[in-house]
Amino acid sequence: MSSTNQRPLAPRKLRDLALLGGLFVLVIGGLISLAAATGWEETMAQLAKLGALQIAILLVLSLVNYLFRALRWHIFASRLGLSLTLAQNIRHFLGGFAMSVTPGRVGELIRMRWIARETGWAFERTAPLVLIDRASDLAAMGLILGIALSLAAGGVALAAPVAALAIAASIIVTRPALLAGLATQFYRRTGLLPRLMTRIRRAATSLRAFSHPQTLGFAALLGLIGWLAEGYAFHLLLCWFGADIGFWKAVMIFVFSTLAGGLTGAPGGVGGAEAAMVALLYMEGIPPEVAVPATAVIRLTTLWFAILIGLAIFPHAEAKSTQIHQKGAL
């Protein structure tokens, strides 16, 4: 029975791996083309400035982000009432990174399948976890952008509306009554998407478990530390390349580009984030022979490092959840 259930997954895995590989080749190919067009020797000279220690520092700072957000996921899961250990929640959260490059990152919903196998909870009951996790990231990144705008002179003008949009979205999603009210009003005025609006209202009811001030406050702190760690990695990278534009400006460009890539709807923000980052660095006076390798390195040590971790954990998470499910069925 279990082997039969897993057979249909093989084509999906091959498709996802093909998508992952294709996106990686396209982005790296595009960045290599840019590097060649702007001066291949200059670009390689910049990359030569990085040694094993510098790469290790960048990866450790990214790992700080992943682990702090995994801890936040554990806190949310506990507040929802899921009887899962910290190790289980970290496994689910990190393993889900393997599906980060699916459109809209919907592939990360694989976490819900693992939770369903290990606890018996249906997707409708665990869906609020996805909403509150995304909302927390939006809130943290919007707040970071707001702070960066106030502290970095001559900040990127586009960051203000993106920061406002991120914070507004996070407020709506973390306010159950507001979210349910908006879904109700949308259906009454348009008559569209009745099933989706019903699901949103149900999810809003479940979000009340997270409306605790202490829970939201601690979650916000974890998100801030996590995303600032990666922003600091970008700042260090620019300094190593001799292009110090200041900590807050570097953080602002990194966070804005990450959000902008996500808004394009592209898998993992691939393409959009890189284009935004190169363009914003150029606007700050950073030459292409520095902006292109800096963008390539930071994306490799953040997004693609997360995907690599996810791919390493995914088989274990899949096998473990199946094993627990089979034990529970006996």
Side-chain angles (χ1 to χ4, degrees):
M1 185 79 172
S2 61
S3 60
T4 303
N5 289 339
Q6 290 196 17
R7 278 175 193 164
L9 290 177
R12 290 184 184 179
K13 288 180 180 178
L14 290 174
R15 181 196 63 195
D16 292 336
L17 285 173
L19 175 63
L20 178 66
L23 285 170
F24 182 79
V25 170
L26 282 174
V27 172
I28 295 300
L31 290 172
I32 289 174
S33 298
L34 272 175
T38 56
W40 186 251
E41 292 183 0
E42 292 85 350
T43 299
M44 293 306 295
Q46 294 297 329
L47 291 173
K49 295 178 181 178
L50 298 179
L53 178 60
Q54 283 84 358
I55 296 297
I57 290 172
L58 297 178
L59 295 178
V60 167
L61 287 169
S62 290
L63 197 58
V64 168
N65 182 25
Y66 310 149
L67 291 177
F68 271 64
R69 288 164 58 205
L71 177 57
R72 184 185 65 191
W73 177 271
H74 173 67
I75 292 170
F76 286 147
S78 299
R79 288 293 302 173
L80 193 60
L82 288 164
S83 56
L84 295 168
T85 65
L86 176 61
Q88 283 177 293
N89 282 316
I90 290 177
R91 182 172 69 237
H92 297 161
F93 185 79
L94 296 182
F97 283 154
M99 312 298 284
S100 293
V101 292
T102 48
R105 302 181 74 168
V106 294
E108 290 187 1
L109 294 178
I110 188 69
R111 295 166 181 156
M112 304 299 103
R113 186 175 74 180
W114 293 333
I115 292 174
R117 287 176 178 173
E118 296 177 25
T119 65
W121 282 43
F123 173 78
E124 286 75 11
R125 296 181 68 188
T126 56
L129 267 177
V130 179
L131 288 173
I132 195 66
D133 183 63
R134 296 288 174 84
S136 297
D137 277 337
L138 283 172
M141 297 172 86
L143 186 57
I144 289 171
L145 276 179
I147 295 171
L149 278 169
S150 64
L151 296 177
V156 181
L158 287 175
V162 173
L165 181 62
I167 293 174
S170 66
I171 290 173
I172 291 172
V173 176
T174 54
R175 296 296 183 276
L178 178 59
L179 181 60
L182 288 173
T184 301
Q185 289 300 317
F186 176 84
Y187 176 67
R188 285 178 180 174
R189 292 177 182 275
T190 66
L192 300 174
L193 307 174
R195 291 184 180 179
L196 178 60
M197 294 304 109
T198 299
R199 289 183 178 179
I200 289 176
R201 286 195 295 269
R202 288 177 182 170
T205 301
S206 301
L207 282 172
R208 292 194 178 97
F210 310 116
S211 58
H212 217 253
Q214 290 181 338
T215 300
L216 291 176
F218 190 46
L221 179 62
L222 291 173
L224 281 172
I225 295 173
W227 286 109
L228 279 173
E230 285 195 343
Y232 179 60
F234 189 49
H235 168 64
L236 284 178
L237 179 61
L238 290 175
C239 290
W240 293 333
F241 281 172
D244 185 3
I245 58 175
F247 170 73
W248 284 110
K249 195 168 287 185
V251 168
M252 179 169 55
I253 290 175
F254 173 79
V255 173
F256 175 84
S257 301
T258 303
L259 279 173
L263 290 174
T264 64
V270 172
E274 289 82 4
M277 194 171 291
V278 171
L280 292 174
L281 287 172
Y282 184 75
M283 289 170 60
E284 291 297 327
I286 307 300
E289 60 268 22
V290 175
V292 172
T295 298
V297 170
I298 200 63
R299 291 293 278 171
L300 285 171
T301 57
T302 53
L303 173 67
W304 294 99
F305 179 48
I307 292 171
L308 185 63
I309 290 174
L311 289 172
I313 295 176
F314 187 95
H316 175 62
E318 185 73 15
K320 196 70 176 176
S321 66
T322 302
Q323 181 184 9
I324 293 172
H325 178 66
Q326 289 175 342
K327 282 184 178 179
L330 293 178

